[in-house]
Short mmCIF file of all heavy atoms in Angstrom, two decimals:
data_model
loop_
_atom_site.label_atom_id
_atom_site.label_comp_id
_atom_site.label_asym_id
_atom_site.label_seq_id
_atom_site.Cartn_x
_atom_site.Cartn_y
_atom_site.Cartn_z
N GLY A 146 -10.75 7.02 -9.50
CA GLY A 146 -10.41 5.81 -8.75
C GLY A 146 -11.13 5.66 -7.44
O GLY A 146 -12.01 6.38 -7.09
N TYR A 147 -10.66 4.71 -6.71
CA TYR A 147 -11.36 4.18 -5.46
C TYR A 147 -11.29 5.39 -4.42
O TYR A 147 -12.39 5.92 -4.04
CB TYR A 147 -10.58 3.01 -4.90
CG TYR A 147 -10.94 2.55 -3.58
CD1 TYR A 147 -12.30 2.37 -3.19
CD2 TYR A 147 -9.98 2.16 -2.63
CE1 TYR A 147 -12.58 1.97 -1.88
CE2 TYR A 147 -10.26 1.80 -1.34
CZ TYR A 147 -11.55 1.60 -0.97
OH TYR A 147 -11.98 1.27 0.18
N ILE A 148 -10.08 5.77 -3.92
CA ILE A 148 -10.03 6.78 -2.86
C ILE A 148 -10.47 8.17 -3.42
O ILE A 148 -11.14 8.91 -2.83
CB ILE A 148 -8.73 6.84 -2.19
CG1 ILE A 148 -8.27 5.51 -1.68
CG2 ILE A 148 -8.71 7.78 -0.95
CD1 ILE A 148 -6.85 5.27 -1.16
N ASP A 167 -8.34 12.38 -15.02
CA ASP A 167 -8.13 10.98 -14.84
C ASP A 167 -8.01 10.39 -16.26
O ASP A 167 -8.76 10.64 -17.13
CB ASP A 167 -9.20 10.33 -14.04
CG ASP A 167 -8.79 8.89 -13.53
OD1 ASP A 167 -8.45 8.07 -14.30
OD2 ASP A 167 -8.87 8.82 -12.26
N SER A 168 -7.04 9.52 -16.49
CA SER A 168 -6.85 8.83 -17.80
C SER A 168 -7.86 7.66 -17.94
O SER A 168 -7.94 7.16 -19.01
CB SER A 168 -5.41 8.27 -17.91
OG SER A 168 -5.31 7.26 -17.03
N VAL A 170 -7.37 4.84 -16.86
CA VAL A 170 -6.58 3.60 -17.07
C VAL A 170 -7.03 2.56 -15.98
O VAL A 170 -7.22 1.39 -16.34
CB VAL A 170 -5.09 3.85 -17.14
CG1 VAL A 170 -4.58 4.38 -15.77
CG2 VAL A 170 -4.35 2.46 -17.35
N HIS A 171 -7.25 3.00 -14.78
CA HIS A 171 -7.80 2.13 -13.81
C HIS A 171 -9.02 2.69 -13.10
O HIS A 171 -9.59 2.10 -12.18
CB HIS A 171 -6.81 1.78 -12.72
CG HIS A 171 -5.69 1.02 -13.21
ND1 HIS A 171 -4.29 1.34 -13.07
CD2 HIS A 171 -5.63 -0.20 -13.93
CE1 HIS A 171 -3.61 0.28 -13.69
NE2 HIS A 171 -4.35 -0.57 -14.18
N GLY A 172 -9.45 3.92 -13.45
CA GLY A 172 -10.64 4.51 -12.89
C GLY A 172 -11.84 4.33 -13.66
O GLY A 172 -11.89 3.56 -14.64
N GLY A 185 -7.55 12.68 -19.15
CA GLY A 185 -6.18 13.01 -19.59
C GLY A 185 -5.15 12.31 -18.78
O GLY A 185 -5.49 11.84 -17.59
N ASP A 186 -3.92 12.15 -19.22
CA ASP A 186 -2.87 11.49 -18.50
C ASP A 186 -2.07 12.45 -17.73
O ASP A 186 -1.77 13.60 -18.32
CB ASP A 186 -2.10 10.75 -19.56
CG ASP A 186 -1.14 9.69 -18.95
OD1 ASP A 186 -0.25 10.08 -18.04
OD2 ASP A 186 -1.36 8.49 -19.19
N VAL A 187 -1.62 12.16 -16.52
CA VAL A 187 -0.82 13.09 -15.82
C VAL A 187 0.54 13.32 -16.43
O VAL A 187 1.29 14.29 -16.16
CB VAL A 187 -0.63 12.72 -14.25
CG1 VAL A 187 -1.83 13.00 -13.54
CG2 VAL A 187 -0.16 11.28 -14.06
N PHE A 208 -4.14 12.08 -6.65
CA PHE A 208 -4.26 10.63 -6.40
C PHE A 208 -3.67 9.82 -7.47
O PHE A 208 -3.28 8.66 -7.25
CB PHE A 208 -5.74 10.21 -6.26
CG PHE A 208 -6.54 10.74 -5.06
CD1 PHE A 208 -7.27 11.71 -5.15
CD2 PHE A 208 -6.31 10.07 -3.80
CE1 PHE A 208 -8.08 12.25 -4.04
CE2 PHE A 208 -6.98 10.52 -2.69
CZ PHE A 208 -7.94 11.59 -2.86
N ALA A 209 -3.60 10.31 -8.76
CA ALA A 209 -3.35 9.57 -9.94
C ALA A 209 -1.98 8.84 -9.77
O ALA A 209 -0.96 9.54 -9.49
CB ALA A 209 -3.27 10.41 -11.10
N ALA A 210 -1.97 7.56 -9.81
CA ALA A 210 -0.75 6.76 -9.59
C ALA A 210 -1.01 5.28 -10.03
O ALA A 210 -2.22 4.95 -10.01
CB ALA A 210 -0.32 6.83 -8.15
N ILE A 212 -0.62 1.60 -8.44
CA ILE A 212 -0.64 1.22 -6.93
C ILE A 212 -0.29 -0.11 -6.56
O ILE A 212 -0.17 -0.36 -5.32
CB ILE A 212 -2.10 1.61 -6.41
CG1 ILE A 212 -3.09 0.52 -7.00
CG2 ILE A 212 -2.51 2.98 -6.72
CD1 ILE A 212 -4.38 0.50 -6.22
N SER A 251 0.28 9.96 -0.36
CA SER A 251 1.51 9.10 -0.08
C SER A 251 1.02 7.86 0.62
O SER A 251 -0.16 7.60 0.75
CB SER A 251 2.57 9.90 0.73
OG SER A 251 3.76 9.13 0.72
N TYR A 276 7.32 0.55 -5.66
CA TYR A 276 6.15 1.43 -5.46
C TYR A 276 6.38 2.33 -4.37
O TYR A 276 6.24 3.61 -4.48
CB TYR A 276 4.88 0.55 -5.18
CG TYR A 276 3.72 1.32 -4.62
CD1 TYR A 276 2.97 2.27 -5.43
CD2 TYR A 276 3.40 1.23 -3.23
CE1 TYR A 276 1.92 2.91 -4.80
CE2 TYR A 276 2.42 1.91 -2.71
CZ TYR A 276 1.63 2.77 -3.49
OH TYR A 276 0.57 3.48 -2.97
N LYS A 280 6.82 6.80 -4.40
CA LYS A 280 6.11 7.67 -3.48
C LYS A 280 7.15 8.51 -2.67
O LYS A 280 6.89 9.69 -2.44
CB LYS A 280 5.20 6.97 -2.66
CG LYS A 280 3.98 6.33 -3.33
CD LYS A 280 3.02 7.45 -3.86
CE LYS A 280 1.87 6.83 -4.52
NZ LYS A 280 0.82 7.86 -4.86
N TYR A 303 -1.33 7.26 3.86
CA TYR A 303 -2.46 6.29 4.25
C TYR A 303 -1.84 4.95 4.66
O TYR A 303 -0.93 4.43 4.04
CB TYR A 303 -3.45 6.06 3.11
CG TYR A 303 -3.77 7.03 2.17
CD1 TYR A 303 -4.07 6.76 0.79
CD2 TYR A 303 -3.78 8.45 2.48
CE1 TYR A 303 -4.51 7.69 -0.06
CE2 TYR A 303 -4.14 9.40 1.60
CZ TYR A 303 -4.56 9.06 0.29
OH TYR A 303 -4.79 9.97 -0.64
N PHE A 304 -2.59 4.37 5.59
CA PHE A 304 -2.39 3.04 5.87
C PHE A 304 -3.31 2.13 4.91
O PHE A 304 -3.36 2.40 3.80
CB PHE A 304 -2.46 2.77 7.41
CG PHE A 304 -1.20 3.17 7.99
CD1 PHE A 304 -0.83 4.50 7.94
CD2 PHE A 304 -0.34 2.26 8.57
CE1 PHE A 304 0.43 4.91 8.50
CE2 PHE A 304 0.88 2.69 9.07
CZ PHE A 304 1.26 4.07 9.05
N ALA A 306 -6.45 1.46 3.06
CA ALA A 306 -7.81 2.03 2.76
C ALA A 306 -8.74 0.79 2.52
O ALA A 306 -8.46 -0.18 1.88
CB ALA A 306 -7.76 2.88 1.53
N HIS A 319 -11.12 -2.70 -8.18
CA HIS A 319 -9.81 -2.78 -8.73
C HIS A 319 -9.62 -4.09 -9.56
O HIS A 319 -10.28 -5.13 -9.18
CB HIS A 319 -8.66 -2.84 -7.64
CG HIS A 319 -8.54 -1.45 -6.91
ND1 HIS A 319 -8.45 -1.31 -5.52
CD2 HIS A 319 -8.31 -0.29 -7.45
CE1 HIS A 319 -8.26 -0.08 -5.20
NE2 HIS A 319 -8.18 0.59 -6.35
N1 NAD B 561 -5.62 1.92 -1.71
C1 NAD B 561 -4.79 1.97 -0.60
O1 NAD B 561 -4.89 1.29 0.32
C2 NAD B 561 -3.79 3.13 -0.69
C3 NAD B 561 -2.79 3.15 0.45
C4 NAD B 561 -1.84 4.20 0.37
C5 NAD B 561 -1.75 5.01 -0.68
N2 NAD B 561 -2.61 4.93 -1.73
C6 NAD B 561 -2.48 5.96 -2.83
O2 NAD B 561 -3.75 6.51 -2.98
C7 NAD B 561 -3.90 6.87 -4.36
C8 NAD B 561 -5.30 6.31 -4.86
O3 NAD B 561 -5.30 4.84 -4.64
P1 NAD B 561 -6.53 4.04 -5.12
O4 NAD B 561 -6.56 2.89 -4.20
O5 NAD B 561 -7.78 4.95 -5.20
O6 NAD B 561 -6.11 3.65 -6.55
P2 NAD B 561 -6.98 3.55 -7.96
O7 NAD B 561 -6.20 2.74 -8.99
O8 NAD B 561 -8.37 3.15 -7.69
O9 NAD B 561 -7.00 4.99 -8.44
C9 NAD B 561 -5.92 5.64 -9.12
C10 NAD B 561 -6.55 6.53 -10.19
O10 NAD B 561 -5.49 7.20 -10.99
C11 NAD B 561 -5.77 7.05 -12.28
N3 NAD B 561 -4.48 7.07 -13.06
C12 NAD B 561 -3.48 6.09 -13.00
N4 NAD B 561 -2.52 6.47 -13.77
C13 NAD B 561 -2.80 7.66 -14.42
C14 NAD B 561 -2.27 8.49 -15.39
N5 NAD B 561 -1.06 8.22 -15.84
N6 NAD B 561 -2.90 9.62 -15.75
C15 NAD B 561 -4.03 10.07 -15.11
N7 NAD B 561 -4.70 9.19 -14.29
C16 NAD B 561 -4.10 8.00 -13.98
C17 NAD B 561 -6.57 5.75 -12.46
O11 NAD B 561 -7.31 5.74 -13.69
C18 NAD B 561 -7.32 5.74 -11.19
O12 NAD B 561 -8.59 6.41 -11.41
C19 NAD B 561 -2.73 6.34 -5.12
O13 NAD B 561 -1.85 7.45 -5.27
C20 NAD B 561 -2.13 5.27 -4.25
O14 NAD B 561 -0.79 5.26 -4.38
C21 NAD B 561 -3.55 3.99 -1.76
#
Side-chain angles (χ1 to χ4, degrees):
Y147 171 48
I148 307 172
D167 198 302
S168 67
V170 61
H171 290 128
D186 196 297
V187 283
F208 291 101
I212 67 163
S251 191
Y276 165 73
K280 292 288 182 172
Y303 323 149
F304 282 63
H319 287 133

